[in-house]
Amino acid sequence: MCIESVIDVARGKAPADILLKDALVVNVFTGEILKQSVAVKDGVVAGVGYYDRGEETFDLAGRYLIPGLIDAHIHIESSMLTPAAFAAEVVPHGVTTVVADPHEIVNVAGLAGLDYMIKASSGLPLDIFYMMPSCVPATNLETAGASVSKVEIDSFFKKHPRSPGLAEMMNYPGVCLKDQAVLGKIRAARESRLVIDGHAPQLSGRDLNAYISTGITSEHESVSAAEALEKLRLGMKIIMREGSAARNLISILPIVTEKNCPNILFGCDDRSPADLVNEGEIDFVLRKAVSYGLDPVMAVQMATINPARHYNLPGLGAVAPGYRADLVVLPNLADFQAEMVFKEGVLVARDNKLLAGLPAPEDKSVRNTVCLPELRGRFELDVPAGKNLARVIEVLPDQILTRCVFVRPAELTAAHDIARVAVVERHGKNGNVAVGLVRGFRLENGAIASTVAHDSHNLIIVGQSAGDMELAARTIAATGGGLAAVSGGKVLAALPLPLAGLISDQDARNVAAQHAELHKAAKKLGCTLPSPFMTMSFLALPVIPELRITDMGLVDANHFQLVDLWVRE
Ligand SMILES: Nc1ncnc2[nH]cnc12
Ligand SMILES: [Mn+2]
């Protein structure tokens, strides 16, 4: 960017590269909507106001102009797409920047996974700012494919100065109990004066004060207005989440006021490929928020200037001189259907289509990551003598929270909506297999399985017969990872995820179509959950209440400890 040329255009002494004429510009600083022209030079906004000279002019009379949308917290891997395929899907929706936490692939492939994501994210019409994963593995109650310590975090920040900071610090008990390894990671971010993102579901009172006192300044796991308000009052930025498995917008939106709006951001966290294609990304969150009554200009601020300021993203988040010309043209401020998307002053998408092809980077380093132990006989369950109750995980539709329920052996049947759940260690570390019981999948027969199982991404299976559970596991292992639904010894549907067992090498529509076939197959097996594979993928995540299962066994996520499956009443 040549400062002198930008000055000339700003002063009207030279024509803009592109002139966006007579647009209704949303001013994220004053909340006004003003009819103005925008002159762009060398990829930045040179001036906003009265301009009439441009090499190329777009007449935007009657059209709204907003800054490119920013997702404040996303795990790209949850879309099962490569960064390029993800960008191809979200940029036409007006999303030009995301703040990503790559802990999914780092849990599987370590720093090689992080290097892959960073290399695969260059040359895209989407800015992907990678936070450094703070919790790999998420806890010491699971086996991941890699581990990240303060040493790796320190060197990452030195090697990647554009990283906004440390990704969600999920080990909130470790923070409150002054675990030195945990505090060391926090110190690494503080010494680099970087943002520390949080993850503290249902943490409150003095422990929440302690957690925030360490410099953790944002959080996205609030599921109620009261929980979000307490964190807001204590100085946290609230990332309001509308993902595929966790849909928290409607319960938190009521706390948003003119006064506290600057401290609220939008994040998707985890979006399934089908939801990306059928609903959208942050544009979908804006659409939904405005349909629930949120002022559209405040909605735009929460998805542009607010995250840009919080993560110190240079020159992003506004239509103003000196800011990056990441701009979105909209017919109205209700549907948020982008008509045109500019990235650094280049028209990159029009009418929901990307205008240029994207690079396909080398991905050998993140393939062949599934290594299964012998499975025969590993999925059997027998009630031990003297025990007369089973500790069962109950799943809830549209939530990643689970409940712990106790069920008598006679009711541990498909007719009572009980299924087996198994987690198989698949990184070749120890061959662990843990088996538990789950309620809420309504699986009448067969099995569904996945190597997407937050955050260690072992192989998780929910099924009604050991044979089908074994078949599902072997089907997935044969494609280097993925999802499968099987029944009666036959494979009903499968979705290969050859990159780290998390990511497909196909485009979004193809992946969404395969994902839809899997949902159909799961429905055929009796499953009625809206996102069965996404819900199953969170059963292994011990940092979200209440009861989880990892390759080491059942985990009481309220007390961060392993617990027995069978108990005596
Ligand atoms: N909501 C979430 N999505 C993906 N990984 C997570 N790890 C902890 N919380 C998570
Ligand atoms: Mn997350």
Side-chain angles (χ1 to χ4, degrees):
M1 184 267 264
C2 164
I3 293 182
E4 290 81 352
S5 324
V6 173
I7 289 171
D8 288 343
V9 170
R11 300 193 66 216
K13 305 267 179 239
D17 290 341
I18 57 164
L19 176 67
L20 303 176
K21 213 163 158 346
D22 297 337
L24 295 168
V25 181
V26 173
N27 190 308
V28 294
F29 303 113
T30 63
E32 297 167 297
I33 299 176
L34 303 168
K35 186 174 172 194
Q36 296 173 304
S37 295
V38 176
V40 174
K41 178 70 186 170
D42 292 353
V44 300
V45 173
V48 182
Y50 179 70
Y51 289 93
D52 57 3
R53 294 171 65 197
E55 301 298 345
E56 191 181 2
T57 298
F58 294 84
D59 180 357
L60 298 185
R63 291 289 182 268
Y64 291 85
L65 189 68
I66 66 170
L69 299 177
I70 301 175
D71 184 334
H73 177 67
I74 185 82
H75 305 280
I76 291 176
E77 307 92 310
S78 293
S79 71
M80 303 177 186
L81 302 175
T82 62
F86 177 82
E89 200 50 42
V90 305
V91 169
H93 286 263
V95 179
T96 53
T97 297
V98 299
V99 178
D101 170 2
H103 73 214
E104 315 302 2
I105 198 164
V106 174
N107 264 290
V108 174
L111 296 182
L114 185 50
D115 285 347
Y116 161 75
M117 291 300 277
I118 291 171
K119 284 200 185 83
S121 300
S122 62
L124 302 179
L126 174 72
D127 266 309
I128 303 175
F129 288 90
Y130 285 104
M131 302 282 278
M132 179 60 185
S134 63
C135 300
V136 172
T139 67
N140 58 2
L141 300 167
E142 59 202 291
T143 305
S147 66
V148 165
S149 71
K150 179 179 188 314
V151 171
E152 285 85 8
I153 292 171
D154 271 332
S155 63
F156 174 82
F157 287 147
K158 288 186 180 57
K159 198 172 152 199
H160 300 283
R162 103 190 260 272
S163 169
L166 193 62
E168 53 181 303
M169 173 43 74
M170 299 174 251
N171 191 348
Y172 44 96
V175 173
C176 297
L177 298 172
K178 300 180 289 185
D179 175 311
Q180 283 311 305
V182 171
L183 298 188
K185 294 172 180 177
I186 289 175
R187 284 193 183 96
R190 289 171 66 103
E191 283 149 19
S192 302
R193 275 184 289 287
L194 292 171
V195 169
I196 306 173
D197 190 20
H199 166 111
Q202 300 178 12
L203 196 64
S204 66
R206 291 180 180 160
D207 280 352
L208 179 60
N209 276 276
Y211 183 76
I212 299 170
S213 73
T214 63
I216 299 172
T217 52
S218 49
E219 212 271 346
H220 57 273
E221 290 289 343
S222 298
V223 295
S224 72
E227 182 179 2
L229 205 47
E230 183 183 9
K231 291 168 184 171
L232 203 58
R233 287 174 177 145
L234 292 174
M236 281 197 137
K237 302 294 190 319
I238 292 298
I239 300 176
M240 218 176 275
R241 170 176 62 185
E242 189 69 9
S244 290
R247 295 176 181 265
N248 310 120
L249 183 72
I250 189 166
S251 48
I252 302 176
L253 205 52
I255 72 164
V256 180
T257 66
E258 196 94 14
K259 288 202 180 72
N260 67 28
C261 170
N263 297 323
I264 299 181
L265 327 173
F266 281 140
C268 287
D269 206 354
D270 307 280
R271 289 289 286 167
S272 72
D275 287 347
L276 273 186
V277 170
N278 302 329
E279 294 175 340
E281 220 257 358
I282 284 293
D283 57 307
F284 168 73
V285 185
L286 289 172
R287 196 171 308 134
K288 200 162 183 180
V290 169
S291 73
Y292 287 145
L294 180 68
D295 169 79
V297 174
M298 283 166 64
V300 169
Q301 289 168 319
M302 289 155 67
T304 55
I305 192 69
N306 295 4
R309 280 179 167 160
H310 174 62
Y311 289 110
N312 309 308
L313 306 180
L316 294 180
V319 184
Y323 278 77
R324 196 83 81 61
D326 293 1
L327 304 165
V328 180
V329 177
L330 300 165
N332 59 60
L333 288 186
D335 307 336
F336 291 95
Q337 302 284 357
E339 272 180 0
M340 284 190 263
V341 183
F342 294 87
K343 183 77 182 122
E344 297 184 56
V346 175
L347 183 61
V348 291
R350 188 165 205 150
D351 299 331
N352 212 21
K353 277 261 165 308
L354 206 62
L355 298 177
L358 299 179
E362 168 54 41
D363 58 27
K364 245 199 338 284
S365 60
V366 289
R367 287 179 181 262
N368 304 314
T369 62
V370 178
C371 169
L372 292 190
E374 171 51 52
L375 296 177
R376 207 170 301 289
R378 307 286 300 267
F379 300 136
E380 301 306 338
L381 267 185
D382 306 308
V383 185
K387 306 285 182 182
N388 60 359
L389 273 181
R391 198 191 302 264
V392 175
I393 305 172
E394 178 162 73
V395 295
L396 314 164
D398 274 352
Q399 289 297 348
I400 50 183
L401 291 166
T402 61
R403 271 202 220 104
C404 171
V405 292
F406 291 92
V407 179
R408 293 185 190 300
E411 294 166 7
L412 296 176
T413 65
H416 291 87
D417 186 14
I418 299 289
R420 262 173 272 186
V421 53
V423 176
V424 180
E425 190 276 319
R426 62 102 167 173
H427 307 297
K429 303 280 184 188
N430 54 34
N432 283 349
V433 174
V435 185
L437 293 157
V438 66
R439 184 161 79 187
F441 278 84
R442 295 197 181 288
L443 207 64
E444 289 152 11
N445 63 73
I448 58 174
S450 169
T451 44
V452 179
H454 297 279
D455 285 342
S456 295
H457 300 296
N458 283 305
L459 195 159
I460 192 161
I461 314 160
V462 171
Q464 291 297 359
S465 81
D468 279 338
M469 290 171 78
E470 279 177 42
L471 173 60
R474 280 199 297 277
T475 304
I476 288 172
T479 56
L483 281 59
V486 307
S487 174
K490 287 200 185 55
V491 177
L492 303 181
L495 164 48
L497 297 175
L499 306 186
L502 301 173
I503 294 174
S504 167
D505 48 15
Q506 313 276 311
D507 69 18
R509 270 149 184 62
N510 205 324
V511 176
Q514 295 173 71
H515 204 240
E517 283 308 305
L518 276 161
H519 273 207
K520 259 196 249 160
K523 227 183 175 112
K524 222 168 118 195
L525 299 177
C527 187
T528 54
L529 288 170
S531 304
F533 285 87
M534 185 74 94
T535 300
M536 177 171 65
S537 75
F538 280 97
L539 288 179
L541 183 56
V543 293
I544 296 185
E546 175 166 82
L547 184 63
R548 303 278 156 186
I549 181 168
T550 72
D551 65 293
M552 295 183 186
L554 270 184
V555 176
D556 170 344
N558 289 330
H559 303 96
F560 268 60
Q561 60 190 22
L562 289 166
V563 288
D564 292 335
L565 168 60
W566 305 105
V567 298
R568 176 160 188 71
E569 192 169 14

